């Protein structure tokens, strides 16, 4: 049992080299926000930036802004800002659409690059939209594709000469555990298949090196750790070596070689640009850019180290104070096996989470019984962890969660 005291935890905050980054965000007073893995908090600069984009760039400059404010290159520019967070080179990442749509684009393109093979493989318990998108692609391709899932620990065994594409999420949204990207990528490629990684719970929370892993393709989310705002545009990565082989299944004009030639016939742009489809959402891109700027100068290894330490402190305190109430740890206990989020389980998890939120500690709930807590290192303090556990102890000790109003299921959990 750990011997953490409040004084020791306060000391961790005083010694925290990342502490000052919290000033880059606009956090409500008195709120303990442990849900940056679902929706990152508002950066301090976003409102003023959007005000400027709306009033000056849109309001005054109007359509001239596509050139004068370089709106047209924002997808590439933001892609190049994301690249260093995921070990990609400039020109390998572009911002567009949603994660779901980007996954569709890249899995369908990868499948077409392996025409003699029909299996699209994923893992049981992957994020639902990923699985639904794969099912849709397999349906669309009819007899030319088969959708298959296997348990996470059997992926490599399941890859064979019929496997075209493997679609995997690096950090699992429910358990917080993550795959060994380099080893899996190599194993999949040795069997001749391609792999598409979903980095939604990775980028901005822990460093990853797509280049060193020889990754083929990747997608990820803009509104979680990247702080781009609700429904922010997502990104996609295509390794340089594949870029000219990709045949975009959503062959829109923004991915055309020369959109403003207005040709009748589609011809893809070279490089990453062909993965665009329609006109980029400039207001949303501007908000995402402010989110990405919160990573300026941040040492990603220090970020990872703090995230591991925050999670460990939380789990140490959960073991000491909360296991007696039947709250169990549902993620890897060892930080080295976890992403930046921690999961607990209890049959009354939904009501407990509702009570917590009502008492100023925001996490979220994933059916049937998982309470998730995200430890975003840029703005979470060690004392937030301490205080969250104190509040949770109150809620359990006094049966606060039993109140009727915490039992009613809301539309979004
Ligand atoms: C959050 C998340 C998504 C979100 O997809 P949207 O298209 O933005 O709704 C997809 N995949 C994973 C693994 C996620 O964590």
């Amino acid at each position: 049992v750990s011997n953490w005291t409040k004084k020791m935890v306060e000391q961790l905050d005083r010694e925290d080299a990342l502490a000052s980054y919290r000033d880059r965000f606009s956090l409500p007073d008195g709120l303990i926000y442990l849900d940056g893995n679902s929706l990152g908090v508002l950066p301090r600069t976003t409102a003023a930036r959007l005000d400027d984009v709306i009033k000056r760039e849109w309001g005054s400059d109007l359509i001239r802004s596509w050139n004068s404010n370089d709106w047209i290159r924002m997808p590439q520019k933001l892609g190049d800002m994301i690249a260093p967070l995921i070990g990609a080179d400039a020109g390998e990442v572009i911002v567009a659409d949603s994660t779901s749509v980007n996954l569709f684009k890249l899995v369908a393109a990868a499948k077409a690059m392996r025409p003699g093979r029909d299996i699209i493989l994923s893992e049981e318990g992957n994020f639902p939209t990923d699985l639904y998108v794969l099912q849709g692609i397999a349906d669309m391709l009819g007899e030319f594709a088969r959708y298959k899932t296997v348990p996470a620990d059997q992926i490599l065994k399941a890859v064979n000469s019929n496997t075209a594409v493997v679609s995997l999420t690096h950090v699992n949204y429910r358990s917080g555990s993550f795959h060994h990207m380099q080893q899996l990528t190599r194993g999949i490629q040795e069997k001749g298949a391609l792999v598409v990684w979903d980095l939604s719970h990775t980028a901005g929370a822990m460093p990853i090196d797509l280049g060193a892993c020889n990754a083929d393709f990747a997608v990820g989310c803009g509104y979680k750790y990247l702080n781009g705002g609700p429904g922010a545009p997502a990104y996609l990565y295509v390794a340089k070596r594949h870029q000219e082989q990709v045949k975009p299944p959503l062959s829109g004009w923004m991915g055309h070689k020369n959109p403003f030639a207005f040709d009748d016939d589609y011809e893809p742009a070279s490089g990453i640009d062909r993965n665009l489809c329609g006109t980029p959402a400039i207001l949303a891109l501007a908000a995402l850019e402010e989110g990405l700027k919160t990573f300026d100068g941040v040492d990603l290894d220090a970020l990872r180290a703090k995230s591991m330490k925050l999670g460990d402190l939380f789990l140490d305190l959960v073991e000491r104070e909360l296991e007696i109430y039947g709250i169990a740890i549902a993620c890897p206990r060892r930080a080295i096996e976890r992403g930046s989020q921690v999961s607990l389980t209890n049959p009354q998890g939904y009501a407990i989470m509702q009570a917590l939120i009502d008492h100023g500690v925001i996490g979220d709930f994933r059916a049937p019984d998982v309470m998730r807590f995200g430890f975003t290192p840029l703005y979470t303090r060690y004392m937030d962890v301490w205080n969250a556990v104190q509040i949770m102890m109150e809620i359990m000790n006094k049966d606060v969660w039993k109140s009727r109003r915490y039992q009613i299921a809301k539309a979004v959990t």
Side-chain angles (χ1 to χ4, degrees):
V1 174
S2 65
N3 65 345
W4 290 112
T5 62
K6 189 173 173 185
K7 275 209 158 55
M8 290 160 70
V9 174
E10 285 168 341
Q11 185 64 22
L12 289 177
D13 277 322
R14 275 194 295 272
E15 291 165 357
D16 175 14
L18 300 180
S20 66
Y21 292 122
R22 187 175 162 89
D23 295 339
R24 293 184 174 183
F25 298 91
S26 173
L27 278 147
D29 283 339
L31 191 73
I32 301 175
Y33 191 71
L34 304 179
D35 212 8
N37 52 309
S38 267
L39 176 64
V41 305
L42 173 67
R44 262 192 207 290
T45 56
T46 303
R49 172 72 189 278
L50 285 187
D51 192 62
D52 181 54
V53 173
I54 289 168
K55 291 182 183 151
R56 182 178 59 82
E57 296 189 9
W58 177 15
S60 302
D61 298 353
L62 277 161
I63 199 157
R64 292 169 288 192
S65 281
W66 286 105
N67 294 310
S68 63
N69 291 304
D70 213 18
W71 284 354
I72 196 70
R73 296 293 298 172
M74 283 185 80
Q76 292 85 349
K77 177 178 155 197
L78 271 56
D80 288 344
M81 290 173 78
I82 292 170
L85 300 177
I86 57 177
D89 288 335
E92 287 188 313
V93 183
I94 199 158
V95 173
D97 304 314
S98 62
T99 307
S100 304
V101 171
N102 287 336
L103 190 72
F104 175 89
K105 295 190 295 194
L106 292 188
V107 170
K111 168 69 184 71
M113 287 166 64
R114 293 290 180 271
R117 297 165 170 244
D118 67 345
I119 292 177
I120 298 173
L121 181 70
S122 190
E123 62 180 300
E124 291 168 10
N126 194 355
F127 193 80
T129 203
D130 297 50
L131 298 179
Y132 305 160
V133 164
L134 302 181
Q135 289 165 29
I137 293 172
D139 268 359
M140 190 182 73
L141 295 176
E143 62 182 296
F144 299 104
R146 279 184 291 158
Y147 162 78
K148 185 178 170 181
T149 55
V150 294
D153 58 356
Q154 286 169 41
I155 294 159
L156 274 189
K157 251 186 17 210
V159 181
N160 59 37
S161 60
N162 291 322
T163 313
V165 195
V166 186
S167 168
L168 297 174
T169 299
H170 180 234
V171 179
N172 185 276
Y173 77 101
R174 186 190 296 272
S175 70
S177 62
F178 64 89
H179 287 302
H180 196 302
M181 182 183 283
Q182 188 157 27
Q183 197 176 304
L184 269 174
T185 299
R186 191 185 307 128
I188 290 164
Q189 290 170 345
E190 275 170 1
K191 307 263 180 68
L194 294 162
V195 57
V196 183
W197 286 102
D198 190 328
L199 304 180
S200 290
H201 283 282
T202 308
M206 58 192 287
I208 190 79
D209 194 334
L210 291 176
C213 293
N214 196 41
D216 297 304
F217 303 98
V219 298
C221 184
Y223 52 79
K224 292 171 181 159
Y225 294 100
L226 301 185
N227 308 311
Y235 59 91
L236 65 84
Y237 159 92
V238 180
K240 271 264 157 60
R241 66 182 181 281
H242 292 317
Q243 288 184 354
E244 304 307 314
Q245 276 86 61
V246 164
K247 259 188 83 182
L250 298 180
S251 44
W253 72 312
M254 284 294 144
H256 190 274
K257 192 172 182 201
N258 192 356
F260 292 92
F262 292 97
D263 277 343
D264 277 2
D265 293 317
Y266 178 73
E267 200 182 330
S270 65
I272 195 75
D273 293 8
R274 67 177 59 184
N275 298 288
L276 293 178
C277 180
T279 306
I282 298 302
L283 302 183
L285 286 169
L288 177 58
E289 184 171 356
E290 297 311 307
L292 293 172
K293 283 184 190 165
T294 63
F295 288 92
D296 278 356
V298 172
D299 173 348
L300 294 179
D301 291 322
L303 183 93
R304 171 68 176 150
K306 182 177 174 188
S307 127
M308 290 164 75
K309 232 161 127 177
L310 286 163
D312 276 347
L313 171 63
F314 185 72
L315 292 179
D316 285 351
L317 294 172
V318 165
E319 269 179 351
R320 189 173 84 191
E321 312 287 3
L322 292 166
E323 281 192 340
I324 48 163
Y325 300 108
I327 290 176
I329 294 171
C331 58
R333 183 66 182 87
R334 283 156 47 90
I336 196 158
E337 296 168 3
R338 281 197 312 266
S340 203
Q341 131 237 342
V342 161
S343 306
L344 305 180
T345 164
N346 180 278
Q348 301 302 326
Y350 183 78
I352 297 168
M353 183 53 76
Q354 291 309 304
L356 268 174
I357 292 170
D358 210 24
H359 290 77
V361 179
I362 299 192
D364 64 20
F365 176 77
R366 289 295 173 260
D369 57 4
V370 172
M371 292 175 275
R372 292 195 312 178
F373 301 87
F375 296 98
T376 43
L378 288 187
Y379 49 81
T380 306
R381 297 168 298 203
Y382 293 97
M383 270 311 287
D384 293 328
V385 173
W386 175 269
N387 289 330
V389 173
Q390 302 307 306
I391 292 169
M392 209 159 167
M393 285 160 62
E394 270 294 288
I395 282 168
M396 299 314 294
N397 188 29
K398 299 194 176 142
D399 285 341
V400 176
W401 60 273
K402 285 187 178 164
S403 161
R404 255 194 64 76
R405 68 180 189 283
Y406 299 137
Q407 319 296 319
I408 303 157
K410 297 193 175 121
V412 175
T413 61

